[in-house]
Amino acid sequence: MSKVMLFASGKGGVGKSTITANLAVHLARLGRSVVLVDADIGLRSLDLFLGLENRVVYDLLDAAHGRCMLSQALLSSDDLPSLRLLPAAQFARCKELDPRKLKKILARLKKENEFILIDCPAGMERGLRNVLNAGADETVLIVTPDDLCIRGAERVAALLEEKELPRPGIIVNRLDNDLIFAKEMVAARVVSDLLDRPLLGEIPEDPAVYMAQLRRRLVLDYACEAREALIRIARRLDGETVSLPEYGKKRRSFFRRHFPSPLKEVESDGQNH
Ligand SMILES: Nc1ncnc2c1ncn2[C@@H]1O[C@H](COP(=O)(O)OP(=O)(O)O)[C@@H](O)[C@H]1O
Ligand SMILES: [Mg+2]
């Protein structure tokens, strides 16, 4: 099994890079060989999520245009060799990425890896279209539960259909159990019904996500609800049957609502799951 998975969103700032990076790490921790492709040309970010920012020499555009070998552009961290990053170019424009060249790179990566996760540029512009034109085996749309984001996601879903890409699975991010319970926010299932696409995952609003970013760490490194949610989604991507939490169905206990637990690092058991 080897698949290219595109992670897209209708607008920026919805958590796409955070989610894609953490899913890639967990899949690698599950023993899969994974390549994370940062296709957000002009706004390289995944190197920061993985702590590889000082190691970037070549990037996706260099590899695509033959300025280096593909192997030279791929970076891996010492503690997780089964995950490699193909960083985005920082000082370039998205139109410089030729979809045919990207397609060739993806085909080569597929020969040696089980998962190729692509963090797409946000929005509907040329950057996204170029990446979509390279094709994919599966697509994922990241959405937050608000009208504007859902509207943007609808447009991306239509674009995926136009490009004859597979129907996307929906990941709803930044869900608030109590707001859903109070009917202030729509539940993840409602978002996926509105978009008429299957629900792949639910991730809660969780202060640990931003704290992890500030500390230049992964969300997965902290014992928090978002970590559990990300692991659940990674296992689903890996083919396991894992049920979703259905945030908002039940009211959280008084203590969980009023006494948030302090941020604690996950004790490494060598397995990390
Ligand atoms: N579930 C969440 N809870 C809290 N903050 C989040 C959550 N998901 C994302 N964020 C924050 O939202 C911001 C945007 O995330 P990012 O992954 O950069 O989005 P994108 O790649 O879609 O632009 C970051 O500061 C991140 O820490
Ligand atoms: Mg991003």
Side-chain angles (χ1 to χ4, degrees):
M1 179 191 69
S2 167
K3 56 187 173 188
V4 172
M5 304 190 71
L6 278 177
F7 288 73
S9 66
K11 64 193 264 298
V14 299
K16 184 159 46 63
S17 300
T18 310
I19 293 169
T20 314
N22 281 276
L23 291 177
V25 169
H26 196 71
L27 283 166
R29 287 177 178 171
L30 289 175
R32 306 286 163 241
S33 53
V34 184
V35 176
L36 185 54
V37 179
D38 192 343
D40 203 348
I41 311 286
L43 189 59
R44 175 194 296 159
S45 67
L46 296 180
D47 53 321
L48 287 170
F49 283 96
L50 302 182
L52 292 170
E53 65 276 16
N54 295 327
R55 307 258 295 268
V56 179
V57 180
Y58 297 109
D59 56 51
L60 170 60
L61 276 187
D62 292 323
H65 291 272
R67 295 192 285 262
C68 70
M69 288 189 299
L70 178 56
S71 58
Q72 288 177 296
L74 289 167
L75 301 172
S76 63
S77 65
D78 302 331
D79 49 347
L80 199 56
S82 58
L83 171 66
R84 288 175 306 155
L85 170 70
L86 187 51
Q90 174 70 326
F91 301 103
R93 298 223 217 119
C94 54
K95 65 174 187 194
E96 291 174 48
L97 181 63
D98 179 343
R100 284 163 304 182
K101 293 190 168 143
L102 177 60
K103 196 175 179 145
K104 277 191 192 150
I105 287 188
L106 296 176
R108 283 177 59 195
L109 291 174
K110 256 179 100 166
K111 282 190 192 147
E112 288 167 15
N113 299 278
E114 290 164 283
F115 286 91
I116 294 101
L117 269 50
I118 307 179
D119 183 15
C120 291
M124 302 281 297
E125 306 310 321
R126 177 132 176 222
L128 177 67
R129 286 166 194 268
N130 278 348
V131 179
L132 299 187
N133 284 338
D137 302 302
E138 288 181 25
T139 62
V140 177
L141 257 176
I142 318 272
V143 194
T144 52
D146 56 87
D147 292 341
L148 183 59
C149 194
I150 295 169
R151 189 183 282 175
E154 265 167 1
R155 295 196 56 202
V156 176
L159 186 61
L160 293 173
E161 207 164 305
E162 186 190 310
K163 304 266 177 208
E164 294 180 359
L165 282 154
R167 281 168 77 75
I170 305 294
I171 294 180
V172 188
N173 188 25
R174 310 197 81 149
L175 291 158
D176 184 308
N177 192 82
D178 299 340
L179 288 181
I180 301 169
F181 190 79
K183 305 221 178 319
E184 296 277 356
M185 181 184 272
V186 287
R189 183 66 62 192
V190 176
V191 177
S192 76
D193 285 351
L194 284 169
L195 291 167
D196 191 23
R197 304 289 189 281
L199 184 61
L200 177 62
E202 299 180 39
I203 303 175
E205 173 71 28
D206 189 335
V209 176
Y210 192 48
M211 276 313 294
Q213 186 176 5
L214 291 176
R215 294 181 183 179
R216 296 184 175 209
R217 299 285 300 272
L218 294 161
V219 181
L220 294 174
D221 291 341
Y222 294 97
C224 61
E225 266 192 84
R227 173 183 193 268
E228 287 164 31
L230 286 160
I231 290 178
R232 218 177 274 126
I233 299 171
R235 287 169 55 197
R236 286 171 74 106
L237 293 182
D238 198 32
E240 251 187 84
T241 308
V242 183
S243 57
L244 293 173
E246 300 184 69
Y247 292 115
K249 212 171 175 190
K250 287 191 232 126
R251 195 158 200 220
R252 289 188 309 160
S253 72
F254 179 84
F255 281 100
R256 293 220 42 190
R257 275 184 284 136
H258 295 282
F259 301 101
S261 41
L263 198 57
K264 265 200 291 198
E265 274 189 43
V266 177
E267 308 258 338
S268 174
D269 56 3
Q271 301 269 318
N272 281 302
H273 57 273

